[in-house]
Amino acid sequence: MSNDVAEGPAGGTEPSGPSLQRLALIGAVARAATEHQKAQIQPREDAPREALTAAFEKSKQPTLVVDIDGEDIGQYTVGVTKDAFQIGDPDAFEKFAEEKDEIDIVVTPKPAFVKAILARARRNPETGAIFDSQTGEEIPGVTFVRGGKPTGTVRWTWKTFKGQPVGKEVLMAALRSGRLNEYLRETPELLPSTQPGTGSE
C-alpha cells in the first residue's frame, strides 16, 4: 500500500501536485536557508549601524548615500531623537496639576493633562522658562530635552524611480556580474556562487 497521505482515484493514478514528502523537504531546505541567513548574513546587514552612529556623532550628517560606480542604489539614515519636553520635577508639576484640578485619585497628574501640557509646552530662548503656548502661563517642573542624539537605529531605503526600487536592481546586477567580488572576499557567504540557484548546475 502506498505511504502517501492521500491516494489518487481508482486505478492508482498519482494525486496532482507535489507530494507531502516533497513539500516537506523543500520546506526543510527553506528553513535551513533562513537559519543560515539569520546566523551568517544578518550580522552583515546590521554591521553598518554602529559605524554610522559613530560617524554621525562627529559629522552630524544623518544620511549616507551608497553608490556603485557613481550610480546611487540607496541610503542609510541614522535615527535621531527629537526635541521634547518631559517632567523634570514631578513634585512641582504635581502641585501645578493639583492647582488646575487635574489630579487623579491616586494623586498623580492625569495622563491626558500631562500629554496636553507637554504638547503645548514652549521654551523662552532668552530665559529658558517653559510656558504654556495656549495660556502663556509658566509650567513648573517641566524640562526641555534637546533632540538630535542618535537613537541607535539606522534605516535603509532603496533608491527608487516611479515607486520601483531601481537601486536594488543595480546592486543585484553588479553582484551577479562580479563587480562586487573584491568587497565580498571576506564574506564569501554573500558571493553569488554561494547562493542557492546561482551556482553552476
Side-chain angles (χ1 to χ4, degrees):
M1 180 178 290
S2 171
N3 290 327
D4 287 342
V5 174
E7 291 185 339
T13 57
E14 292 293 327
S16 61
S19 68
L20 178 57
Q21 180 65 221
R22 183 182 179 88
L23 285 174
L25 180 58
I26 294 173
V29 172
R31 180 178 296 275
T34 299
E35 291 177 357
H36 168 78
Q37 179 177 17
K38 185 175 181 180
Q40 302 295 326
I41 299 179
Q42 188 69 42
R44 302 295 182 181
E45 179 181 337
D46 296 337
R49 182 186 304 132
E50 186 174 340
L52 287 167
T53 300
F56 170 79
E57 292 281 12
K58 296 179 179 179
S59 67
K60 301 305 178 186
Q61 175 58 253
T63 59
L64 174 68
V65 176
V66 182
D67 71 271
I68 298 176
D69 298 333
E71 189 169 7
D72 294 352
I73 61 169
Q75 69 179 32
Y76 284 102
T77 303
V78 177
V80 297
T81 60
K82 296 181 179 180
D83 293 348
F85 291 96
Q86 66 182 25
I87 307 301
D89 185 339
D91 293 335
F93 189 82
E94 184 176 303
K95 183 177 180 181
F96 173 66
E98 189 172 3
E99 292 172 356
K100 297 295 181 181
D101 195 27
E102 294 286 353
I103 293 291
D104 278 337
I105 297 176
V106 292
V107 194
T108 184
K110 295 177 180 178
F113 174 69
V114 174
K115 182 178 180 180
I117 285 293
L118 295 182
R120 300 199 306 259
R122 299 293 183 273
R123 183 174 66 96
N124 185 318
E126 296 181 359
T127 66
I130 310 299
F131 64 94
D132 186 330
S133 61
Q134 194 173 87
T135 66
E137 184 178 13
E138 187 169 333
I139 309 172
V142 172
T143 303
F144 176 70
V145 181
R146 173 109 19 220
K149 297 186 181 300
T151 61
T153 61
V154 174
R155 184 179 75 255
W156 168 263
T157 50
W158 292 106
K159 175 69 177 293
T160 60
F161 180 71
K162 295 185 177 181
Q164 298 300 313
V166 294
K168 186 175 183 179
E169 296 172 2
V170 171
L171 177 65
M172 295 309 296
L175 182 64
R176 288 191 294 269
S177 70
R179 288 163 58 196
L180 302 182
N181 287 3
E182 62 178 297
Y183 299 104
L184 303 177
R185 297 197 189 285
E186 295 182 3
T187 57
E189 66 274 12
L190 297 180
L191 287 170
S193 60
T194 65
Q195 300 304 304
T198 58
S200 59
E201 295 297 324

